[in-house]
Amino acid sequence: MAAEKLQKRLFGTNGVRGIVGKDMTPDLVLSIGLAFGSMRKGRIAVGRDSRTSGESLANAVKAGLMAAGCDVVDCGMLPTPALQYLVMHHFDGGAMITASHNPPEYNGVKIIEPDGTEMGDEQTVLLEERIFSRNFEIQSWEHVGSETKATQMVDYYTNAIIRSVPENIGNNLSVVVDPGCGAASVTTPKILTGLGCRVFSINAQVDGHFPGRLPEPSLEGLKGLAGLVRSTGSAFGVAHDGDADRAVFVDENGRFIEENQEFALVADYICSRRSGVVVTPVSSSLLVETIVKKHGGSVVYTPVGSIYVARTMRELLEKGENVVFGGEGNGGLIFPGHQFCRDGGMTATIMVAILAQSGLPLSKLIDQLPVFHMIKEKIQTDNPDRLINHLAESCKGYTIDRTDGLRITKGDAWALVRPSGTEPLVRVMVESAVSDSARKFYQELMGYVRQL
Ligand code: MG
């Protein structure tokens, strides 16, 4: 499968990120614009999330793109999936200035291909080569590109989502939105209102200082959301990360819904209507596969990273497979009839549809899901490869999968051991439907680690 990971120097799993003024500078972003513009001629859409550095860096990427001969359309502040949707329908490419869920001091760039997906590894390596060798096709005065502004275009995105479900499906439903002062402030309240919901909001003023909570929706940060859900008697609360490709939920009691449960609930809804293939990384809970199989569907696993999920979904569809859904166990869900990227606004919309169809409170729907026990730990090591190879050797009697890191299945338990992309450690996940099996398997693995 083409979803194999290639080594990139600058770009991580989700674009380039860094601390503004330190490793994320207008200089760097200008060269990204020049490189991307040299590779893709045509009309390029540019967007940004709500970070204080967004305008400065958006201007840098636009300068590079125009100098390389591209015409630039500035779509203003909007979620990453909104820009991806606009690119898919109207542009030859896109550049999104965002650091997603990272703290306020970060920013970055995501490059969008004409089909709306993030640039894949092969093309990204070529882009990086251009940046490092400064191989840019800078144009003369007759061929420099121009800029237009189209901040109203975000309405194409919100309207498409509203139209994707039956009219007024959210009637009689009160909901609370927490965009965390990020990009979804301009979209999700509007979408949910458009579905007929009665919408309350918290942290819905655009503010790059993120005064209400950090862009990563954590349990601690969502206390305000949970409180407002309870005091307004709302059916659920939805929160986004800074660029709103992810959505996480609290139920009507303000209880946080673990993201694998969210994924499974949505998979249940989708597969009950149309069973088929669901694509997800090897890090997702077995809960998802259990639900998909209940409806006669199957799961295809990919390396960790939404881009591998999105590209695998496309590839399978091109081969004629019936791909109905995909996503990650972090609130990043992909709806193939809509577009091939994670979409937080669409996820909130599907949650409204789920509640409208079932007539049950969200807490009930979650409690009906099978229970799995997951252990997540980190192991400090200077040599992740050595540790992982040692574990693979120690576990060679079990089923081993090397799609990403090391996935070991032993009876009713499985474990995933992966090196961190940024720190000297490996992440370990162990899961089973039986808590004792998960704990025992985890202890067995730690025994092998101690041998080193
Ligand atoms: Mg994000």
Side-chain angles (χ1 to χ4, degrees), residues 120-161:
D121 286 351
E122 264 172 53
Q123 292 295 307
T124 302
V125 168
L126 296 177
L127 183 86
E128 290 189 346
E129 276 170 15
R130 277 187 184 266
I131 293 169
F132 286 114
S133 61
R134 303 197 64 76
N135 174 17
F136 307 134
E137 291 173 17
I138 296 177
Q139 301 298 312
S140 65
W141 69 275
E142 315 98 297
H143 302 294
V144 169
S146 63
E147 174 181 354
T148 42
K149 296 222 187 278
T151 48
Q152 78 292 349
M153 278 191 88
V154 67
D155 293 346
Y156 283 116
Y157 164 76
T158 52
N159 290 335
I161 292 182

Side-chain angles (χ1 to χ4, degrees), residues 14 17 80-81 98-102 110 241-246 342:
N14 288 295
R17 302 245 180 103
T80 299
T98 177
S100 188
H101 59 275
N102 287 144
K110 281 183 187 176
D241 69 327
D243 67 336
D245 49 2
R246 286 159 49 203
R342 300 178 295 182

